[in-house]
Amino acid sequence: MDGNEAGEHPDESDMLRDQINSGVALIKAGRARLMLALPRHRDKIPSTHRPAFQSLCRVYEVTALMVDELRKEVPCREELLAEYEEICRGIEADAVAMLDGETSDRWR
């Protein structure tokens, strides 16, 4: 029986797996989302091709897709949604730092 039929929410790991396997070009979609989220850096995002930045774009897209799915749930899992929204803000901050030429051990 499907978790939704029983009145339960889908498992978080299943949701993540579905997003990763969705067929969406994750790097490209993540870049587009970052361009919308970071308008001051919009001109730098398309030309940044470092592997660490591409990985960040991929993770951002998966996380943003999770936020989208969690926002649709009734009732809303507010704590989980807030956690994923916070992850998105952290990724955006890392993207800005990368685009501004900063370095971090996390991005190696």
Side-chain angles (χ1 to χ4, degrees):
M1 180 185 324
D2 183 294
N4 290 334
E5 292 175 24
E8 298 174 7
H9 292 295
D11 182 70
E12 180 183 356
S13 61
D14 291 339
M15 291 175 72
L16 280 170
R17 188 173 34 261
D18 289 346
Q19 299 310 327
I20 292 168
N21 296 325
S22 69
V24 173
L26 296 175
I27 294 172
K28 184 177 180 179
R31 279 183 192 278
R33 279 191 198 258
L34 282 171
M35 289 173 67
L36 291 172
L38 306 172
R40 289 182 304 172
H41 294 81
R42 201 169 280 156
D43 59 328
K44 291 182 181 179
I45 292 171
S47 61
T48 304
H49 297 287
R50 289 179 43 205
F53 190 78
Q54 291 180 332
S55 178
L56 184 138
C57 290
R58 182 183 305 108
V59 171
Y60 187 69
E61 180 62 14
V62 170
T63 305
L65 288 168
M66 279 293 291
V67 168
D68 293 346
E69 289 302 312
L70 289 167
R71 285 180 178 159
K72 295 176 193 175
E73 289 185 346
V74 177
C76 180
R77 289 186 275 181
E78 293 180 25
E79 287 182 25
L80 188 59
L81 174 59
E83 182 180 334
Y84 276 91
E85 288 174 333
E86 185 176 327
I87 293 168
C88 279
R89 302 301 77 83
I91 295 169
E92 290 166 5
D94 281 348
V96 168
M98 280 186 192
L99 293 166
D100 286 345
E102 296 177 25
T103 59
S104 170
D105 288 338
R106 290 190 317 241
W107 309 333
R108 292 181 192 220

